[in-house]
């Protein structure tokens, strides 16, 4: 995300960052960045379905470290897709597919987030009562707006925040030493401010967005232009661009000169100029639309309010509805109001009946329906060993809760229950040796569960949403 290569470029420079001991403050967190950085920085499994229990513990440890230092986290997640960045989104999707293929062949970590990690992230933050909001589109501008209005920093690993003029600065996650805080009352980190960037490179502040647009960001593709002019020292791509920009005072002047360097034909210049302006506008601070939501739990005024039912606006902001649902709603949407009708839509989609689920506890109905769908539709067809492993795994965690009213929570009953579980655990251990390569089948099952949870959200929860981590214990 952001300006490619900018993070590593700035970290190679002197005097850009300020070492700080961060404490006693609000902190606006880029939720998308945090989801990835927590998982990938901790060596958790990426190629065998994910380590959701360990990931959940990691999230709790992170939030505890913040609260120990009297830091109040506010997490903002991405919303629907930005049409103007469609080419970038497609390119990233293709890249993820290639990386997934290489990872499955080599067993290496390629930074592929497990299917259900984002749901685990959301569920755990809700359990920890961390304020979380979902933006209507990409969250960068909303994060920056909140941080500016609240006079607090941003925590992210998105290099776009190097460009925005944030009064209290930007804290790169890679330098945020939250694991080292321990019993300390602060978190050692490095803070970046755009003013230090401009001072260091003798650049006019108003030209920072111009720099990002010409360097290539998510809105426009990077052009290979040699910014080093004859008679000057070589500076590399980004250094050369900064050196070249120093001669200009205003963005329009620099853009015109850049178009001449690109040697664009006259008929295409206007199109390129519009793209550059669009890339620059992404860094302009605007009033926050989520401030009211965080303060009063009121739905923000989404610009697509006329196309989204009012009963959904608050659910979207509260992240009780997936951001992918917003993309679908903006194309074709019809309301289904009655609970019985909504339940029927869900069950018919998964190919099960309400009667077939009637004996199951509420938290297992959706996973069981998904398992039925998966067993019939997956390619290649799963075998009974894989089905047995899934069902037994659910039983270990969930069967006691389904009969909780009949169990006396005494030491003797716990021993009795352990005896009943013993053959199930024994059977699961034997399945490990019977069937080694189950990863593709279970990844398909996770995909089915992920999409079914989103459909269940869209239909306003006709079935209870399962706690993802509990299914995998």
């Amino acid at each position: 995300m952001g300006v490619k290569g900018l993070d590593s470029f700035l970290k190679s420079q002197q005097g850009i960052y300020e070492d700080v001991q961060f404490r006693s403050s609000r902190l606006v967190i880029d939720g998308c960045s945090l989801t990835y950085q927590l998982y990938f920085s901790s060596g958790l499994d990426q190629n065998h379905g994910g380590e959701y229990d360990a990931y959940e513990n990691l999230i709790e440890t992170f939030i505890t470290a913040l609260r120990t230092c009297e830091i109040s986290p506010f997490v903002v997640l991405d919303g629907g897709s930005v049409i103007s960045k469609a080419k970038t989104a497609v390119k990233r999707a293709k890249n993820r597919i290639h990386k997934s293929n290489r990872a499955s062949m080599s067993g290496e970590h390629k930074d592929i987030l497990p299917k259900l990690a984002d749901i685990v992230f959301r569920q755990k933050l809700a359990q920890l009562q961390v304020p979380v909001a979902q933006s209507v589109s990409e969250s960068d501008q909303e994060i920056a707006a909140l941080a500016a209005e609240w006079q607090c920093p941003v925590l992210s690993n998105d290099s776009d925040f190097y460009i925005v003029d944030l009064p209290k600065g930007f804290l790169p996650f890679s330098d945020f030493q939250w694991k080292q805080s321990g019993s300390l009352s602060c978190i050692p980190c490095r803070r970046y401010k755009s003013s230090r960037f401009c001072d260091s490179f003798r650049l006019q502040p108003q030209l920072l967005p111009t720099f990002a647009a010409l360097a290539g960001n998510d809105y426009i593709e990077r052009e290979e232009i040699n910014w080093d002019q004859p008679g000057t020292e070589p500076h590399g791509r980004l250094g050369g661009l900064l050196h070249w920009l120093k001669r200009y005072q205003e963005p329009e002047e620099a853009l015109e000169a850049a178009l001449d360097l690109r040697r664009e034909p006259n008929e295409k210049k206007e199109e390129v100029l519009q793209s550059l302006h669009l890339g620059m506008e992404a860094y302009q601070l605007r009033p926050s639309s989520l401030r009211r939501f965080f303060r009063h739990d009121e739905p923000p005024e989404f610009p697509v309010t006329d196309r989204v039912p009012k009963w959904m606006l608050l659910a979207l902001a509260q992240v009780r509805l997936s951001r992918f649902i917003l993309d679908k709603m903006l194309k074709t949407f019809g309301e289904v109001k009655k609970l019985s009708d909504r339940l029927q839509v869900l069950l018919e989609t998964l190919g099960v009946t309400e009667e077939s689920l009637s004996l199951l506890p509420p938290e297992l109905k959706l996973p069981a329906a998904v398992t039925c769908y998966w067993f019939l539709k997956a390619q290649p067809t799963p075998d009974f060993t894989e089905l047995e492993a899934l069902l037994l795994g659910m039983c270990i965690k969930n069967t006691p809760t389904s009969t909780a009213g009949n169990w006396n929570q005494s030491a003797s009953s716990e021993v009795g229950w352990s005896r009943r579980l013993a053959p199930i655990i024994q059977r699961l251990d034997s399945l490990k040796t019977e069937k080694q390569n189950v990863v593709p089948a279970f990844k398909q099952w996770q995909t089915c569960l992920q999409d079914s949870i989103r459909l269940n959200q869209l239909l306003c929860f006709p079935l209870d949403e399962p706690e993802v981590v509990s299914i995998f214990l």
Side-chain angles (χ1 to χ4, degrees):
M1 292 185 288
V3 182
K4 187 174 181 180
L6 181 56
D7 183 70
S8 56
F9 171 76
L10 290 179
K11 285 179 178 175
S12 68
Q13 307 296 312
Q14 298 294 323
I16 297 293
Y17 300 92
E18 172 191 7
D19 291 328
V20 296
Q21 304 294 316
F22 185 58
R23 69 180 310 274
S24 303
S25 171
R26 285 180 173 178
L27 179 64
V28 183
I29 300 176
D30 178 350
C32 181
S33 178
L34 182 62
T35 303
Y36 283 82
Q37 294 300 322
L38 281 181
Y39 199 96
F40 295 150
S41 65
S42 300
L44 298 180
D45 171 70
Q46 299 179 22
N47 299 332
H48 304 90
E51 294 183 73
Y52 296 124
D53 185 38
Y55 184 45
E56 183 185 57
N57 292 336
L58 194 63
I59 296 166
E60 182 168 3
T61 304
F62 174 78
I63 296 300
T64 300
L66 296 184
R67 288 173 169 167
T68 299
C69 300
E70 299 181 352
I71 298 168
S72 301
F74 292 82
V75 178
V76 181
L77 296 165
D78 283 341
S81 303
V82 177
I83 296 176
S84 55
K85 297 171 68 168
K87 287 184 179 179
T88 301
V90 170
K91 186 182 294 185
R92 286 177 181 163
K94 289 181 178 179
N95 185 45
R96 282 195 298 271
I97 292 171
H98 290 312
K99 288 201 298 184
S100 296
N101 183 58
R102 292 199 300 272
S104 64
M105 299 293 289
S106 66
E108 297 177 276
H109 282 186
K110 297 291 184 181
D111 288 351
I112 304 296
L113 198 67
K115 277 288 180 185
L116 302 173
D118 60 333
I119 298 177
V120 172
F121 181 76
R122 171 178 58 80
Q123 290 181 341
K124 190 60 182 178
L125 290 184
Q127 185 185 106
L128 296 171
Q129 298 183 324
V130 176
V132 182
Q134 185 167 241
S135 176
V136 66
S137 59
E138 285 206 343
S139 60
D140 292 3
Q141 287 186 319
E142 196 59 53
I143 290 169
L146 281 171
E149 292 181 26
W150 287 346
Q151 294 290 297
C152 69
V154 165
L155 177 66
S156 176
N157 245 32
D158 189 335
S159 60
D160 277 334
F161 291 109
Y162 285 118
I163 307 302
V164 185
D165 183 18
L166 298 170
K168 294 297 181 179
F170 161 48
L171 309 180
F173 189 89
S174 54
D175 298 317
F176 196 72
Q177 301 175 49
W178 63 274
K179 291 182 181 179
Q180 299 179 23
S181 61
S183 60
L184 300 177
S185 60
C186 60
I187 295 180
C189 58
R190 295 206 294 173
R191 179 167 58 196
Y192 163 92
K193 287 189 176 180
S194 61
S195 57
R196 295 186 72 153
F197 180 106
C198 293
D199 290 344
S200 180
F201 292 100
R202 291 180 291 162
L203 186 72
Q204 295 296 324
Q206 63 269 24
L207 287 176
L208 257 184
T210 310
F211 161 71
L214 292 175
N217 56 17
D218 290 348
Y219 290 86
I220 53 179
E221 295 183 4
R222 174 167 59 93
E223 290 286 337
E224 292 294 349
I225 297 177
N226 181 15
W227 300 104
D228 292 317
Q229 300 302 304
T232 65
E233 293 293 326
H235 296 85
R237 182 177 67 89
L238 295 179
L241 173 56
L242 287 167
H243 182 74
W244 179 84
L245 275 174
K246 285 193 299 187
R247 69 191 74 180
Y248 300 102
Q249 297 292 314
E250 297 298 332
E252 290 303 320
E253 182 186 9
L255 291 177
E256 289 292 338
L259 288 177
D260 290 338
L261 282 177
R262 286 169 60 124
R263 298 179 181 174
E264 297 285 359
N266 289 333
E267 60 272 15
K268 196 180 177 183
K269 275 190 175 182
E270 188 59 33
E271 178 187 339
V272 174
L273 195 59
Q274 287 181 357
S275 295
L276 289 169
H277 279 134
L278 186 64
M280 292 164 59
E281 287 172 10
Y283 305 108
Q284 302 304 315
L285 285 174
R286 295 182 174 86
S288 168
S289 63
L290 289 177
R291 178 181 56 181
R292 185 175 66 175
F293 167 76
F294 277 123
R295 185 173 295 172
H296 303 296
D297 203 29
E298 296 178 4
E301 295 181 359
F302 289 157
V304 291
T305 299
D306 59 331
R307 300 172 66 185
V308 178
K310 290 183 178 179
W311 57 271
M312 280 191 172
L313 292 177
L314 187 58
L316 281 165
Q318 292 171 332
V319 207
R320 291 191 292 114
L321 290 178
S322 165
R323 66 189 181 94
F324 298 100
I325 290 173
L326 188 59
D327 288 338
K328 304 303 180 189
M329 286 194 310
L330 296 182
K331 297 176 183 177
T332 56
F333 180 78
E335 271 191 72
V336 184
K337 294 185 178 180
K338 291 173 58 180
L339 173 60
S340 58
D341 291 342
R342 289 186 274 119
L343 177 59
Q344 197 60 31
V345 169
L346 179 62
L347 297 181
E348 287 183 2
T349 301
L350 296 175
V352 297
T353 63
E354 188 172 1
E355 183 183 6
S356 66
L357 303 176
S358 60
L359 297 180
L360 293 172
E363 66 271 17
L364 276 186
K365 289 186 177 183
L366 186 58
V370 167
T371 303
C372 293
Y373 178 88
W374 163 80
F375 192 70
L376 292 174
K377 301 289 186 179
Q379 294 295 330
T381 302
D383 60 32
F384 282 98
T385 301
E386 294 163 343
L387 177 62
E388 186 181 7
L390 265 177
L391 296 178
L392 289 176
M394 292 182 199
C395 286
I396 288 179
K397 176 66 178 179
N398 290 282
T399 302
T401 61
S402 67
T403 55
N406 301 321
W407 281 88
N408 179 358
Q409 297 300 318
S410 64
S412 60
S413 67
E414 290 177 9
V415 171
W417 181 243
S418 297
R419 288 174 181 167
R420 289 172 173 81
L421 279 182
I424 297 178
I425 296 173
Q426 206 169 38
R427 177 58 182 150
L428 277 173
D429 287 339
S430 68
L431 287 174
K432 292 178 183 177
T433 57
E434 289 180 26
K435 186 78 174 178
Q436 293 294 330
N437 188 23
V438 298
V439 174
F442 287 145
K443 280 188 175 179
Q444 289 187 49
W445 182 85
Q446 287 196 35
T447 301
C448 294
L449 180 63
Q450 179 189 53
D451 291 341
S452 298
I453 286 176
R454 290 172 180 170
L455 178 58
N456 191 48
Q457 292 173 351
L458 180 60
L459 294 169
C460 282
F461 305 95
L463 292 179
D464 284 7
E465 181 171 295
E467 183 183 348
V468 168
V469 170
S470 70
I471 300 173
F472 291 88
L473 291 179

